[in-house]
Amino acid sequence: MYKGKSVCVVIPAYNEEVQIVKVLTTLPPLVDHAVAVDDASSDDTPGVIQRLAEADPRIVLLRHAENQGVGGAIATGYLWARDHDLDIAVVMAGDGQMDPVDLPAILDPVADGQVDYAKANRLFSGEAYRKIPKVRFFGNAILSMLTKIASGYWHIADSQAGYAAIGKRALKLIDWTRMYKRYGQPNDILTRLNVYDCKVRDVIVEPVYGVGEHSKMKVPKVIFSISWLLLRLFFWRMKEKYLLRDFHPLVFFYLFGGLSMLGSLLFFIRILYLWPIEGKIPETSFLSFIFLTAMGFQSLTFAMWLDMERNKDLK
């Protein structure tokens, strides 16, 4: 228990027979349940978890018959926590990259009833640029910016951080069977939380690397796949939050801005095509390009500002 709240730690694990030992044996006494979800590992990860469970009754082993991805494993753990009516569920990776020392800080905003979801933010740490591999650091920064637009949580950074605590209300609101099952899970859950007007807060933690973890993520591939996911999530949020559940005129500004930018792109292509043929820049096409670019940029900026205003209280 922590501040009178029952706490469940959800640990997605795939081929972590070495690292999972440290994760499970260093959980603090405040943890009531440790749900380790074996995502169809090919090594002895489930056997290691089962042996540890015999010594620690808090540990529960759940197994997937087929690999579902880290998001699928987390969803399974969340469903277990929801069905057992627990107050808070916290995700900790099975590779030891989430320091249990930070657990109380991440729990506090949820346990105190201030927010529905609290997540780690490694980017604001003074050690972030030095500790985090450079490709991951810049990739994370790009995805964090795109996630702000897609999710509506403009105050949130380090969108890829999976170390997070979620309260009972949010656990019961979200349909976990629909959550994205791969590495875009943190982005997906933020978008879903926003549709339900859940409050979310960042908690600054130190990044942990070089503890024996072996990343299974290919950064260039993940950036493109998550970017495509974020585009889909953005349109889904616009539909669910601003058309179906309520109405807000910002959808028209986003629509007009998007069409204007598309039009400006078409005129730009036309300019590039006609310039060599005519030997000069086609004046009408150039003026249309400038006008549509300005109108599109202004409309999109105004739409983002309206979105920020609509969600400013969700922190």
Side-chain angles (χ1 to χ4, degrees):
M1 299 287 283
Y2 185 73
K3 296 186 175 181
K5 307 289 185 181
S6 53
V7 177
C8 170
V9 171
V10 175
I11 306 168
Y14 176 68
N15 291 345
E16 297 289 359
E17 63 179 359
V18 176
Q19 295 296 99
I20 196 71
V21 175
K22 180 180 179 181
V23 175
L24 290 172
T25 56
T26 58
L27 292 175
L30 63 86
V31 175
D32 298 290
H33 305 279
V35 180
V37 184
D38 171 59
D39 196 24
S41 297
S42 58
D43 65 2
D44 193 35
T45 296
V48 171
I49 296 172
Q50 187 58 53
R51 288 190 289 275
L52 291 171
E54 293 171 1
D56 187 344
R58 298 180 301 169
I59 299 174
V60 176
L61 170 62
L62 302 180
R63 301 186 66 179
H64 286 167
E66 297 180 359
N67 182 270
Q68 297 185 27
V70 63
I74 291 171
T76 296
Y78 279 164
L79 285 168
W80 190 94
R82 183 201 68 185
D83 294 344
H84 286 76
D85 200 34
L86 300 180
D87 296 312
I88 306 174
V90 185
V91 172
M92 294 183 69
D95 61 4
Q97 280 194 281
M98 298 174 182
D99 194 339
V101 172
D102 295 320
L103 187 54
I106 291 177
L107 285 170
D108 278 336
V110 180
D112 293 338
Q114 299 173 2
V115 300
D116 299 288
Y117 188 78
K119 55 173 286 296
N121 181 344
R122 302 159 298 178
L123 299 183
F124 286 5
S125 162
E127 298 293 312
Y129 186 76
R130 184 175 65 85
K131 289 185 177 180
I132 301 176
K134 299 301 182 289
V135 174
R136 286 197 172 197
F137 182 88
F138 289 111
N140 194 338
I142 293 170
L143 291 175
S144 290
M145 185 64 245
L146 295 177
T147 302
K148 289 175 184 287
I149 300 171
S151 71
Y153 289 115
W154 297 86
H155 63 287
I156 293 298
D158 194 7
S159 61
Q160 305 316 114
Y163 199 177
I166 185 169
K168 181 187 290 188
R169 172 177 173 267
L171 271 175
K172 293 186 175 181
L173 279 174
I174 294 178
D175 182 357
W176 299 110
T177 63
R178 294 181 176 272
M179 189 173 69
Y180 190 70
K181 294 187 176 183
R182 299 292 169 180
Y183 283 109
Q185 177 270 338
N187 316 83
D188 184 86
I189 189 174
L190 283 172
T191 307
R192 293 180 185 278
L193 288 167
N194 186 266
V195 167
Y196 289 104
D197 284 333
C198 293
K199 293 187 177 183
V200 176
R201 182 174 300 173
D202 267 347
V203 177
I204 298 175
V205 302
E206 291 290 337
V208 178
Y209 283 89
V211 293
E213 77 282 356
H214 297 284
S215 176
K216 305 171 186 69
M217 179 176 63
K218 293 178 174 57
V219 176
K221 179 181 178 181
V222 166
I223 286 180
F224 285 109
S225 63
I226 295 180
S227 296
W228 174 242
L229 170 67
L230 288 172
L231 181 62
R232 302 199 322 264
L233 288 173
F234 169 76
F235 285 114
W236 178 79
R237 184 172 69 93
M238 292 296 109
K239 179 193 72 174
E240 289 290 325
K241 184 163 185 170
Y242 296 129
L243 287 177
L244 299 183
R245 298 171 186 269
D246 197 2
F247 175 75
H248 198 293
L250 69 84
V251 293
F252 292 122
F253 287 99
Y254 267 126
L255 178 62
F256 180 73
L259 292 175
S260 296
M261 295 305 286
L262 177 61
S264 72
L265 176 62
L266 294 176
F267 275 109
F268 181 71
I269 294 173
R270 177 180 171 82
I271 291 170
L272 294 179
Y273 175 74
L274 293 177
W275 193 352
I277 297 175
E278 298 182 359
K280 63 178 182 179
I281 298 177
E283 185 175 335
T284 302
S285 295
F286 180 73
L287 291 176
S288 298
F289 166 72
I290 294 296
F291 174 76
L292 288 173
T293 301
M295 291 298 295
F297 181 79
Q298 184 178 40
S299 183
L300 290 175
T301 301
F302 190 57
M304 291 180 190
W305 177 75
L306 288 174
D307 198 25
M308 292 176 68
E309 284 295 302
R310 171 65 177 78
N311 295 289
K312 67 181 180 179
D313 295 327
L314 302 183
K315 56 183 175 181

